[in-house]
């Protein structure tokens, strides 16, 4: 296959893509779960001689689409979305064609400079004050790891990088139990140790408060431990919990401890001023992560980290060996020095296309619709007999359950086997609950209204089934 073949097949791929998206509503959202079924259809070894593209293409069509969970399906209500606007897909096609590596400015000047601009556009769009800069990572996991490594080194006065952690003080980090597992992972990878991530108790609203944080820090100081960082939850993955961001940042600042805010999902909603109350005080944070790939239409992967001052992070993660120097251009930004990997994709292009193709107002309308439809869906689900709302809508996320845990699990399985919608589970104070979040880029009100209709039908089939169980 050569570049002329690529021209032909790319046109075919564009048609395939358009048909695929137009037909998504006719597909089950989730792939049937039969482990090994896909692998069994592939040859056991790589071919010695070239396969014709026709054959590769035919196998793709035969094997892959039916083996996928369709993340861009308008009735994908599971996890959090990885929503992708058509404009971002177009940008990714161009990025694919250039196949660049944006490791330093010189290797892709446009990628670096558009990335700087997009971070600035987005900082303003979510209401952050002047002065924040930032970078685009693959995922929030990487952004949070970068922030944790930086906080670690600040606490160690940058000795950890040279000397390692052995024999040093016991560093302590603070977060609520509602924070994402990526925070635990960052703490583990950074050599802090899980037991030194203090899970501060939350209040009735599942929020870490300034007082609770203060108490935890005080107890640690009294025990001779060294508080090193606070990680705040702005829109938890389980049920959308928000810590008291402003209060906690106030406590951390008074204690001289840096802060990182995880707004991976909810950050996108902050382009709507009416939701900013939820993270009030965020402008005091040292670092904030949000994923435009979750709810802003800039497809996976696109995770933006805002930094009040990039200096500490660049000092922690930046290395500039002679083979990465750009002669006579010492002042330019080399984004690999802001993050863990050296090689980097050109992720800013899809953000540029998306923000321009819909405008902030177009994106706000989508998010406002999702939130309003989630509230409608909550009311329709609450009206079903035997169904309890476990957590009320937080932005576009709520959860529900049946009285009996086994019945809740069985209901979830029936819903997902039915295929019209896709939901996933969590635990709320130990109780199994089914999460509903609305955020697919193309979803319409009718798609959301199918949630309660499907649940109602599943419950009705159940009560008439001969061996109704459990
Ligand atoms: C999804 C999510 C993450 C992890 O995001 P990745 O980009 O997949 O690493 C972290 N925190 C929260 C709150 C999330 O919702």
């Amino acid at each position: 296959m050569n570049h002329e073949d690529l021209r032909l097949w790319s046109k075919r791929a564009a048609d395939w893509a358009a048909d695929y998206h137009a037909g998504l509503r006719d597909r089950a959202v989730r792939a049937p779960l039969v482990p090994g079924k896909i692998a069994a259809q592939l040859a056991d070894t790589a071919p010695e001689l070239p396969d014709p593209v026709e054959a590769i293409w035919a196998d793709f069509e035969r094997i892959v689409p039916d083996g996928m969970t369709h993340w861009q399906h308008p009735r994908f209500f599971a996890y959090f979305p990885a929503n992708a606007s058509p404009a971002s897909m177009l940008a990714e096609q161009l990025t694919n064609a250039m196949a660049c590596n944006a490791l330093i400015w010189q290797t892709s000047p446009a990628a670096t400079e558009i990335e700087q601009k997009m971070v600035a556009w987005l900082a303003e769009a979510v209401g952050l004050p002047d002065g924040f800069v930032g970078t685009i990572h693959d995922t929030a996991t990487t952004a949070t790891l970068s922030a944790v490594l930086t906080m670690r080194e600040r606490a160690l006065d940058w000795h950890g990088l040279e000397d390692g952690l052995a024999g040093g003080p016991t560093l302590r980090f603070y977060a609520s139990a509602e924070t994402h597992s990526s925070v635990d992972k960052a703490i583990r990878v950074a050599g802090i140790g899980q037991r030194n991530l203090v899970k501060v108790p939350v209040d009735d609203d599942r929020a870490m408060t300034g007082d609770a944080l203060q108490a935890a820090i005080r107890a640690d100081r009294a025990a001779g431990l060294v508080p090193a960082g606070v990680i705040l939850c702005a829109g938890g993955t389980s049920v959308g919990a928000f810590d008291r961001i402003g209060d906690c940042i106030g406590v951390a600042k008074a204690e001289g401890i840096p802060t990182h805010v995880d707004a991976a999902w909810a950050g996108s909603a902050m382009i709507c001023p009416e939701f900013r109350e939820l993270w009030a005080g965020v402008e005091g944070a040292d670092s904030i992560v949000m994923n435009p790939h979750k709810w802003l239409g800039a497809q996976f992967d696109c995770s933006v980290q805002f930094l009040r001052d990039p200096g500490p992070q660049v000092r922690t993660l930046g290395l500039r060996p002679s083979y990465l120097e750009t002669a006579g251009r010492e002042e330019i930004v080399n984004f690999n020095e802001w993050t863990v990997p050296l090689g980097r994709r050109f992720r800013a292009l899809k953000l540029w296309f998306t923000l321009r193709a819909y405008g902030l107002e177009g994106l706000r309308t989508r998010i406002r619709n999702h939130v309003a439809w989630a509230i409608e869906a909550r009311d329709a689900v609450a009206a079903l007999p035997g169904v309890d709302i476990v957590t009320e809508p937080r932005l576009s996320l709520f959860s529900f359950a049946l009285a009996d845990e086994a019945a809740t699990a069985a209901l979830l399985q029936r819903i997902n086997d039915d295929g019209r919608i896709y939901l996933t589970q969590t635990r709320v104070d130990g109780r199994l609950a089914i999460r509903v979040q609305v955020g697919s880029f193309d979803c319409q009100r009718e798609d959301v209204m199918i949630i309660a209709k499907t649940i109602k039908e599943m419950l009705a089939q159940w009560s008439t089934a001969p061996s109704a169980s459990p």
Side-chain angles (χ1 to χ4, degrees), residues 402-412 414 459 462-463 465 467-470:
L402 304 177
D404 175 81
E405 170 145 344
T408 303
L411 174 63
L412 179 62
R414 278 162 182 258
L459 290 170
W462 203 329
S463 55
S467 58
S469 69

Side-chain angles (χ1 to χ4, degrees), residues 79-81 137-144 178-183 232-238 241 262-266 289-291 293-294 300-303 435:
Y79 307 100
F80 280 137
H137 298 267
D138 52 359
T139 60
T141 302
T142 307
T144 294
E178 296 290 330
T179 45
H180 190 268
S181 61
S182 57
V183 175
L232 295 160
C233 176
T237 310
S238 175
D262 179 2
W265 164 64
V289 63
M290 65 169 281
N291 284 359
H293 74 231
K294 274 191 170 152
F300 188 82
D301 53 356
C302 186
S303 180
R435 294 167 74 260

Side-chain angles (χ1 to χ4, degrees), residues 420-438:
R420 276 173 290 173
I421 61 174
Y422 182 23
L423 307 179
T424 48
Q425 75 292 327
T426 188
R427 281 198 182 271
V428 181
D429 301 329
R431 182 178 185 188
L432 182 70
I434 301 176
R435 294 167 74 260
V436 177
Q437 73 69 35
V438 180

Side-chain angles (χ1 to χ4, degrees), residues 16-317:
W16 182 88
D19 293 342
Y20 168 77
H21 285 283
L24 273 178
R25 281 191 180 80
D26 300 328
R27 292 178 178 271
V29 188
R30 193 190 70 177
L33 302 183
V34 189
K37 188 172 162 228
I38 306 298
Q41 297 177 73
L42 270 55
D44 287 334
T45 53
E48 291 292 339
L49 298 174
D51 270 344
V53 185
E54 286 80 3
I56 305 170
W57 183 279
D59 284 347
F60 164 76
E61 287 200 303
R62 182 171 58 82
I63 297 170
V64 179
D66 288 341
M68 296 299 288
T69 292
H70 302 289
W71 279 76
Q72 303 313 318
H73 198 299
R75 297 192 297 268
F76 182 103
F77 305 116
Y79 307 100
F80 280 137
N83 76 5
S85 70
S88 90
M89 293 181 191
L90 178 62
E92 283 286 72
Q93 288 174 16
L94 302 175
T95 309
N96 280 341
M98 292 183 284
C100 67
N101 187 337
L103 54 123
I104 60 177
W105 175 85
Q106 177 171 234
T107 64
S108 299
T112 299
E113 294 183 20
I114 295 175
E115 183 163 334
Q116 288 174 300
K117 277 279 186 192
M118 289 309 103
V119 171
W121 281 15
L122 213 52
E124 189 177 0
V126 298
L128 294 178
D130 285 351
F132 277 94
V133 292
T135 189
I136 307 182
H137 298 267
D138 52 359
T139 60
T141 302
T142 307
T144 294
L145 174 60
S146 303
V148 166
L149 290 167
T150 303
M151 293 191 279
R152 182 192 83 186
E153 286 307 308
R154 283 174 72 156
L156 296 174
D157 201 18
W158 281 274
H159 285 301
L161 296 172
E162 279 298 323
D163 303 333
L165 305 182
T170 301
L171 302 183
R172 304 281 277 179
F173 284 74
Y174 306 86
S176 89
E178 296 290 330
T179 45
H180 190 268
S181 61
S182 57
V183 175
D184 302 80
K185 188 180 274 190
I187 291 293
R188 291 169 176 221
V189 172
I192 303 302
Q194 182 79 56
R195 81 162 67 91
N196 293 312
L197 175 60
V198 181
K199 295 281 173 84
V200 177
V202 293
D203 68 7
D204 293 345
D205 202 22
R206 299 178 197 287
M208 173 161 73
T209 63
D211 288 347
L213 175 62
Q214 182 75 69
I217 293 170
R218 246 192 222 128
D220 277 355
R221 288 212 198 275
L225 308 172
V226 178
V230 176
I231 297 152
L232 295 160
C233 176
T237 310
S238 175
V239 295
F242 279 80
D243 291 335
R244 300 274 169 264
I245 304 289
D247 288 353
C248 291
I249 289 176
V251 167
K253 272 196 190 310
E255 294 279 349
I257 307 170
T259 49
H260 169 69
V261 176
D262 179 2
W265 164 64
S268 295
M270 302 309 169
I271 64 169
C272 306
E274 69 271 28
F275 299 133
R276 292 183 193 152
E277 187 57 31
L278 287 168
W279 75 352
V282 72
E283 63 279 357
D286 294 291
S287 165
I288 304 161
V289 63
M290 65 169 281
N291 284 359
H293 74 231
K294 274 191 170 152
W295 205 5
L296 212 58
Q299 76 187 69
F300 188 82
D301 53 356
C302 186
S303 180
V304 173
Q305 183 189 17
F306 300 113
L307 292 164
R308 159 68 63 195
D309 169 14
Q313 191 156 311
V314 173
R315 187 168 171 193
T316 303
L317 300 175

